[in-house]
Structures are given as C-alpha cells and as structure tokens.
Amino acid sequence: MCIPGRGGGVMGCLPLPLLLLVVDLALALGPAAGSGYGPDADMDTLQDTEDQDALLSQDLIRAMGLTGRLPDVSKVNISQEEWTRGHEQYLASVAAQQASELDALDAHPDRRKLYTFHSAGHHADARGRHRGPRSPRRPVRTFLRMDLPADSVLDDAEVRVLVQQPGTVRVFEVWRGGRRLLAEHEATWPGWKRLEVLEAAQRAAARGAPLLLELRCAPGVRCEGAAANAIAEPGAHARARRAARSDCGRDGTKCCRQALQVDLRQIPGMEFILQPGSFDAGVCRGRCPPRYHPANHHSLIQGLLRRREQREARQHDGQGQAQHGDKRAPRVPRPCCAPARLEPLEILRVDENDPTKLKRAPMSAMRVVSCSCA
C-alpha cells in the first residue's frame, strides 16, 4: 500500500498489515537507541522515504530484543539437526503459550507438527552402475518423497542439504514422464543450503497425494544429508482456529477483534526470522456506543461527556442560535475501539552471535486477544 505524502508525493509503500503493525510499534516504543533520530522525531516531519522506513524498521527490530548487530543472513549455516531442534522447541513453546490462554481466540490452539522426510538414496545411471555423492561425471540426483496427511495446511516446506563444494543445486517436482524446476541455489561457499518448495507441497496436500522431489547437485559438487521438512496441521483444525479469531458475532459494526494477517516473509530485512512465516496480529475495529465494552471508568466518563455535549449542541441548533460556519469540532471525542489485552509473539530466528544456531525470543504485546472501548 502506498501512502500519499505532502505536496502530492508518496510517503512510502508498505503492505497494509505491515503498515499497521509497524506504525503501532513506532508509537508504542519510540525511536530506537542509536538510530540517529532524536527522542522527539516525528513521522510527519521526516520528508525522506528512506528515513521513514529506517525509523519504522529500527523500532520493529528493537521489539525483537535486537539492540546491537543483526544476524548476518549471508553467513547462515543451520544444520538439519539444529533446524529440527529449534523448530521442535518453538512449536512446543507456542502450544504451551496458547494452552495457558483461556479465551475464545485460543479455543482451538495451535496443533502444527514438524514433518521430516529423509533421502531415499542416489540414482544409478542408465547402465545400472550406482553413482554416489562423490561422482564428478554427472549431476548427482537424490530423491525425496514428502508424504503429508491429506488436507494438511502447510506453514513451511523446504529441502535442506549440506553442500561440500561451491556449485549449483536444484530441486525439481517429478512425476511419471515429467519434471518441473521448483528452486535453484548457487552455493558460493560450503554449508547447509535451503530450497523452498512450499507452493508445490501445498498443491500436493490439497490433492491428498505425496510430493516427489528430485535434488540435483552439479557435477563435482558433493551433497550430503538431504532432507525435506514441512510444518503443517490438519485442515479442519486450521479452519476452525481461523474462524475463532474474531469475536464480532453477527453484528460486525460494533467494537470487536478482527483477524489481521501479517506475512513476515514479505518484509525486507526480516530474512533472519524463520518462524512464524505469518501470523494473525489481530486488529480492533467498530463503533463504541455508550456503555459498550468500556475499558475502564474513564471511558464511561468520556462517553457521558460526549453524549452531554451532543445533546447541548442539538439544543443550541434547535434554538436557531447557530450561524453558518459557526459549528465547532466536538471538544470530547467519542471512545474508540482499542486493544484490551495483548499477548507476546514467539519468534524463532537466527542467533545474532552464532549463524549456525537458532534462537527463540518472545516479541511482547504483538497479538491482540480482545478489544474494548477506551
């Protein structure tokens, strides 16, 4: 979404969920330490688009507990063992967090599971002689079968492989009589490489069929430890959980919590975050009639004064005392729909001090659980 600026220009372009998310964070957290902007920095006074984006991004990163250097994604080297360990701990932590939240949002807690499928071996050439991972003459072909439960909803799907020499690595979807390139990676240094196959895995799960993958390493490139990983949950459970994310009921015009999906994979600079790829941040929308879900006693007083002011204005108009253009803006604003309860978001990211390790860290006040009028 592009936001118009002053003088007909453009202030900046951001996905709408990201825009709402980072603006809320910027208002709540203030400027980042060492950002180069003073404590009174105002988004309206920053005319340069890069300055505005930098300020928003720094506040978002601060909310993750990163105040020093960021993880260097060019040096990431996460092994299959570390990937499995980190994701198992992450999923267990998310499940425990949601089980402790007794509200409608979590009536259907997260039941995502980690699936790993290992290599079925290397292919023999047409003359029947086996060509293992050290063969320099032809591309090494490794086959993987990703067999997920029917109607699974996937969060992530990838092929992970240890590449021992620089070279090209490709992964194909294969079927009888054909193949299609899914991902390609040019390895410039030895280490663990990731090739995403999410869309193909989603298509296969929707059909209730296994996904057959062929991993090809260039001639002379030794590849080891290939595995296909997926994070998925039963489709019926995922749909029920999504339906429970709104407390708006039949009358969706009054203040209530609505779903707001944020895709972290679309945010530049967030490549060091592995999980969640996307999440429901929630948003509060709707009217606040008198005495409707008051957040506190102050909102009751505010609503009372607002009603009194409106009544006096109508009486004033009825007596014919109002002149054209003499109407003033209301002195007391009506209560507005705002978050009443926020919960942290569990993040799985690359360790900023060790690119071979994963790290879990909560991001405070990131998920709207309930709303009220304040």
Side-chain angles (χ1 to χ4, degrees), residues 90-170:
Y90 166 78
L91 292 175
S93 178
V94 170
Q97 181 189 60
Q98 292 188 347
S100 67
E101 298 170 4
L102 304 177
D103 49 58
L105 176 64
D106 299 308
H108 298 274
D110 196 314
R111 289 184 184 171
R112 290 176 297 170
K113 291 179 61 178
L114 173 62
Y115 297 87
T116 297
F117 307 91
H118 293 282
S119 165
H122 303 285
H123 193 268
D125 65 17
R127 290 170 291 183
R129 292 183 302 200
H130 178 76
R131 295 198 177 273
R134 296 179 182 274
S135 172
R137 296 179 56 189
R138 294 185 181 181
V140 178
R141 296 189 292 170
T142 302
F143 292 91
L144 298 156
R145 178 188 173 99
M146 186 178 285
D147 200 353
L148 294 166
D151 194 33
S152 292
V153 174
L154 281 81
D155 240 14
D156 193 16
E158 65 169 27
V159 171
R160 188 167 293 272
V161 61
L162 177 60
V163 180
Q164 299 286 18
Q165 293 94 14
T168 304
V169 184
R170 298 182 177 91

Side-chain angles (χ1 to χ4, degrees), residues 194-357:
R194 176 186 186 273
L195 296 98
E196 183 176 316
V197 295
L198 178 58
E199 291 186 5
Q202 288 172 331
R203 290 194 299 267
R207 298 193 307 266
L211 175 63
L212 303 179
L213 299 169
E214 177 186 334
L215 179 70
R216 286 193 176 192
C217 295
V221 177
R222 188 174 68 182
C223 294
E224 298 176 351
N229 301 303
I231 295 177
E233 69 177 320
H237 188 274
R239 288 187 288 273
R241 189 159 56 86
R242 284 196 296 268
R245 288 174 177 171
S246 174
D247 61 1
C248 294
R250 293 183 178 179
D251 184 6
T253 65
K254 294 180 181 178
C255 177
C256 61
R257 180 198 186 277
Q258 298 180 9
L260 176 63
Q261 201 68 18
V262 177
D263 193 341
L264 294 174
R265 292 166 293 203
Q266 294 183 359
I267 304 178
M270 298 291 113
E271 293 84 1
F272 59 89
I273 298 176
L274 276 67
Q275 293 293 335
S278 64
F279 71 99
D280 177 23
V283 65
C284 296
R285 287 199 182 108
R287 299 181 296 107
C288 280
R291 299 175 60 199
Y292 183 79
H293 286 183
N296 44 50
H297 294 155
H298 179 275
S299 60
L300 288 173
I301 288 292
Q302 182 176 336
L304 177 62
L305 293 177
R306 168 76 179 185
R307 295 270 295 177
R308 181 176 178 179
E309 186 179 51
Q310 289 178 320
R311 185 165 55 251
E312 291 175 350
R314 286 194 296 268
Q315 293 174 352
H316 191 269
D317 293 342
Q319 294 172 359
Q321 297 175 5
Q323 301 297 322
H324 180 69
D326 190 36
K327 291 186 178 181
R328 294 177 295 176
R331 184 176 61 88
V332 181
R334 62 171 55 91
C336 61
C337 190
R341 179 181 168 192
L342 292 153
E343 292 291 344
L345 177 72
E346 190 79 4
I347 296 287
L348 180 66
R349 58 176 176 82
V350 178
D351 192 323
E352 66 272 27
N353 298 314
D354 186 350
T356 68
K357 299 295 182 182

